[in-house]
Amino acid sequence: DIVLTQSPGTLSLSPGERASLSCRASQSISNNYLAWLQQKPGQAPRLLIHGASSRAAGIPDRFSGSGSGTDFTLTISRLEPEDFAVYYCQQYGKSPWTFGQGTKVEIK
Amino acid sequence: QVQLQQWGAGLLKPSETLSLSCTIYRGSFSDYFWAWIRQPPGKGLEWIAEINHGGSTIYNPSLRSRVTISVDTSRTQFSLKLTSVTAADTAMYYCSQVALAGNSLYNYWGQGTLVTVSS
């Protein structure tokens, strides 16, 4: 199985700051089939990015994804209060699809 | 904000079968696929299975022998069955739909069903 390792585990930032979250895969992800999801407490996840860099419908442009192969990054250009949440990366290039362990973005 | 509706039993005894269903959101989409994902309390996400509009399925090998995902012929709902449950299957179970329209990808989720396995 492809193991996804996210870093850091927790990111403490203030509203308005820039957030950079990392996702590293144990092997190259075919076709850059890498997604980013956001999850708030008590809620279902929400897809933000697919194909490493394409925003899902309705996602604000302050969210952007980059990377290829084994190294991927989610960037939130300016944190809004509603962006404080847990973020997961997910690969769907090779079955079984797998998730990273998550990065919590908390208010500093 | 579209939310899929999911339903099924929330409390099971060991060895019983988990059965969950989820509505499908129909729109002007060119393609669809549907999936089940679970999340043990306080832990991360685990993908269980996926089925596409044509009925092709993919399963997590770790659960393959116990899982069936299906979609009804009218494409109004899709379902999950997990046999011989144990305490390790206790989790929040989510249904998810991905739909494509042109170059846009839409993703919808159910509200989640907490399934507890306990004797």
Side-chain angles (χ1 to χ4, degrees):
Chain A
D1 297 3
I2 295 179
V3 176
L4 300 178
T5 302
Q6 294 185 239
S7 61
T10 302
L11 199 51
S12 298
L13 295 168
S14 300
E17 289 194 294
R18 181 184 184 91
S20 289
L21 287 65
S22 174
C23 177
R24 179 162 290 178
S26 60
Q27 57 186 274
S28 184
I29 296 175
S30 61
N31 299 306
N32 291 328
Y33 282 163
L34 191 286
W36 289 93
L37 301 93
Q38 175 195 68
Q39 188 177 33
K40 298 179 182 178
Q43 296 186 17
R46 172 193 182 199
L47 179 67
L48 302 174
I49 301 288
H50 63 97
S53 60
S54 298
R55 274 186 298 277
I59 300 303
D61 60 7
R62 64 180 181 273
F63 292 94
S64 64
S66 62
S68 64
T70 61
D71 289 300
F72 299 87
T73 300
L74 173 70
T75 301
I76 310 171
S77 58
R78 287 179 56 86
L79 282 164
E80 298 287 341
E82 62 267 29
D83 298 338
F84 292 91
V86 177
Y87 292 83
Y88 294 94
C89 57
Q90 179 201 5
Q91 68 81 22
Y92 52 102
K94 181 179 179 182
S95 180
W97 314 156
T98 51
F99 294 88
Q101 82 281 14
T103 290
K104 182 179 182 180
V105 178
E106 65 176 22
I107 299 176
K108 187 174 181 179
Chain B
Q1 184 77 5
V2 174
Q3 184 176 62
L4 306 180
Q5 294 303 308
Q6 60 180 97
W7 64 94
L11 181 61
L12 296 173
K13 291 182 167 51
S15 80
E16 291 185 334
T17 296
L18 178 160
S19 293
L20 297 173
S21 294
C22 182
T23 57
I24 287 172
Y25 176 58
R26 300 292 294 271
S28 302
F29 301 119
S30 57
D31 203 1
Y32 302 77
F33 56 95
W34 303 282
W36 291 95
I37 294 99
R38 69 181 183 180
Q39 185 171 36
K43 297 189 177 180
L45 301 166
E46 180 182 29
W47 170 77
I48 300 170
E50 178 182 294
I51 187 168
N52 68 15
H53 190 255
S56 297
T57 57
I58 309 175
Y59 292 96
N60 189 325
S62 69
L63 298 167
R64 177 62 187 96
S65 62
R66 298 192 292 132
V67 171
T68 303
I69 187 173
S70 60
V71 60
D72 70 346
T73 53
S74 59
R75 299 296 188 268
T76 60
Q77 66 183 54
F78 66 105
S79 301
L80 174 73
K81 288 192 187 305
L82 178 66
T83 62
S84 304
V85 298
T86 69
D89 296 311
T90 293
M92 182 71 79
Y93 285 75
Y94 294 103
C95 60
S96 173
Q97 172 178 318
V98 173
L100 303 175
N103 292 325
S104 296
L105 186 150
Y106 298 81
N107 183 219
Y108 308 105
W109 290 75
Q111 76 277 20
T113 299
L114 180 60
V115 175
T116 302
V117 180
S118 174
S119 56

